[in-house]
Amino acid sequence: MSEETPGFDEKPEVPDAGQNDAEPKAADSAKEEAAAPAGDASQDVALLAQLDQARTALSERTADLQRLQAEYQNYRRRVERDRITVKEIAVASLLTELLPTLDDVGRAREHGELVGGFKSVAESLETVAAKMGLQQFGKEGEPFDPTIHEALMHSYAPDITEDTCVAILQPGYRIGERTIRPARVAVAEPQPGAAPKSESAEGEAPSDKDTDAPDKG
């Protein structure tokens, strides 16, 4: 038979392997592209969380540093205040021991016995004590103040209007605002029932001399 069997010369259509492989790859790449934005977003969230943690830690460390600085400043001020207090106590203790000697110097000066070499030594001692802050106080005629005066004698006087120091028996001493010995004084009070001097002067009647004086001219 010379007739050809139909269909044997035609090649069957075979699917392209490369085309078939490309389709899964395209699908995978599409999935990766779809998954990429989600991964970037989660990474950004994680970075923001770490940044917040770092900021919180920085704020805590800054607060700790500020608190430590404040405590250190308070400590320095307290140490300086204590140092000054200890120095003042030591100086006051030393000068208190010197007060009897200064009293002897004052009595010698009052009696004219502060002469020669003793005078130079006494004046040097008083100068050193003054440089250390010692101040003498107490004067006759000043108002009596029980916080700085100690009354050893008491009397009445008609020509005063308030309690007054009429005599300084022993001077007082202070260092700055701190009194280390009160001034020992004699105090006079106004005479009971006596009118103040100013009122009695105003109420006096004109004397006979003034009334009997002839008019001039």
Side-chain angles (χ1 to χ4, degrees):
M1 295 178 63
S2 58
E3 293 181 0
E4 295 180 359
T5 305
F8 283 94
D9 292 336
E10 296 179 0
K11 294 181 180 182
E13 294 181 0
V14 180
D16 190 359
Q19 184 178 0
N20 294 337
D21 293 338
E23 291 178 357
K25 289 181 178 179
D28 293 340
S29 62
K31 291 180 180 179
E32 290 177 357
E33 291 178 357
D40 292 342
S42 62
Q43 187 176 4
D44 292 342
V45 172
L47 290 175
L48 290 175
Q50 293 178 359
L51 181 60
D52 290 338
Q53 291 178 357
R55 288 175 176 172
T56 301
L58 178 61
S59 299
E60 293 176 353
R61 299 300 178 271
T62 303
D64 292 340
L65 179 60
Q66 292 174 347
R67 183 171 60 255
L68 289 174
Q69 288 179 341
E71 291 177 356
Y72 178 66
Q73 293 296 331
N74 292 334
Y75 169 76
R76 287 187 59 185
R77 284 193 289 267
R78 185 168 60 253
V79 169
E80 181 66 16
R81 184 170 58 251
D82 293 343
R83 185 185 67 82
I84 294 174
T85 301
V86 170
K87 180 180 178 181
E88 290 177 350
I89 292 174
V91 171
S93 178
L94 173 62
L95 293 177
T96 300
E97 296 297 327
L98 291 177
L99 294 185
T101 303
L102 295 175
D103 291 337
D104 293 338
V105 170
R107 283 190 290 269
R109 181 179 286 111
E110 291 176 358
H111 292 85
E113 299 175 357
L114 199 63
V115 294
F118 178 55
K119 178 180 180 181
S120 299
V121 173
E123 290 177 349
S124 298
L125 177 62
E126 291 174 336
T127 300
V128 172
K131 287 182 178 180
M132 296 179 70
L134 186 66
Q135 300 175 358
Q136 186 183 96
F137 66 90
K139 294 181 180 180
E140 294 183 7
E142 64 184 8
F144 175 74
D145 185 352
T147 62
I148 60 174
H149 296 137
E150 180 181 353
L152 299 183
M153 299 177 63
H154 177 269
S155 61
Y156 293 96
D159 56 346
I160 58 175
T161 59
E162 60 180 346
D163 295 351
T164 305
C165 300
V166 294
I168 306 299
L169 306 179
Q170 195 176 50
Y173 289 95
R174 66 164 62 97
I175 300 176
E177 299 298 327
R178 180 180 180 184
T179 301
I180 61 176
R181 191 182 75 181
R184 290 160 182 167
V185 300
V187 181
E189 294 184 17
Q191 185 71 35
K197 186 176 181 180
S198 59
E199 294 181 4
S200 60
E202 293 176 359
E204 288 180 354
S207 61
D208 295 339
K209 184 178 179 181
D210 295 335
T211 55
D212 296 339
D215 296 337
K216 294 182 179 181

